[in-house]
Amino acid sequence: MSETAPPSEPIFTTATATSRGGGISVTATELGLPIAMRLDPAELWRDPADLAGDILRVCRASAHRAGLARRELLAGTAGLTDDVLDLLGLPRPGDSDADAPDAYEPRSWLEQPDE
């Protein structure tokens, strides 16, 4: 039985995103699989449905960032073209993404961003 050496590069690209208030932080792969999450204790007192929605938004944002990083990696090191990267479903820079300010929907006037 032969042993295979571990890959020299990570199999998945990961990125971390944080909620506006900083209470929720999620690290996810480019496929959207969360691999680490940090919640401030104060977040646990919120309505469960609202908390779950915010966790999903932050997870989508981190997956989008990881997808952009994977796209850059594959375009740079492997020389893949944009057409191939599009077929892989990787996001393009400038796509409407989960990090956009309008992607966050405040639930009360207390959460309105300062302008």
Side-chain angles (χ1 to χ4, degrees):
M1 191 160 65
S2 66
E3 291 184 33
T4 57
S8 60
E9 291 185 20
I11 297 172
F12 296 104
T13 304
T14 62
T16 302
T18 305
S19 63
R20 282 193 177 182
I24 303 169
S25 177
V26 177
T27 301
T29 68
E30 73 269 19
L31 300 175
L33 177 68
I35 58 171
M37 182 175 14
R38 183 190 58 78
L39 291 173
D40 281 349
E43 296 290 332
L44 299 176
W45 291 100
R46 294 178 45 201
D47 176 63
D50 287 342
L51 178 59
D54 283 348
I55 291 171
L56 284 175
R57 276 189 284 284
V58 174
C59 189
R60 282 189 208 110
S62 61
H64 188 270
R65 289 178 184 174
L68 288 173
R70 173 63 82 174
R71 184 180 192 99
E72 185 177 312
L73 176 74
L74 291 175
T77 60
L80 297 179
T81 64
D82 283 340
D83 293 334
V84 173
L85 296 169
D86 288 343
L87 289 173
L88 291 173
L90 295 172
R92 287 177 169 261
D95 282 351
S96 64
D97 62 39
D99 290 333
D102 58 347
Y104 179 78
E105 300 172 7
R107 287 177 300 283
S108 80
W109 66 272
L110 295 172
E111 296 179 0
Q112 295 293 329
D114 295 329
E115 307 222 12

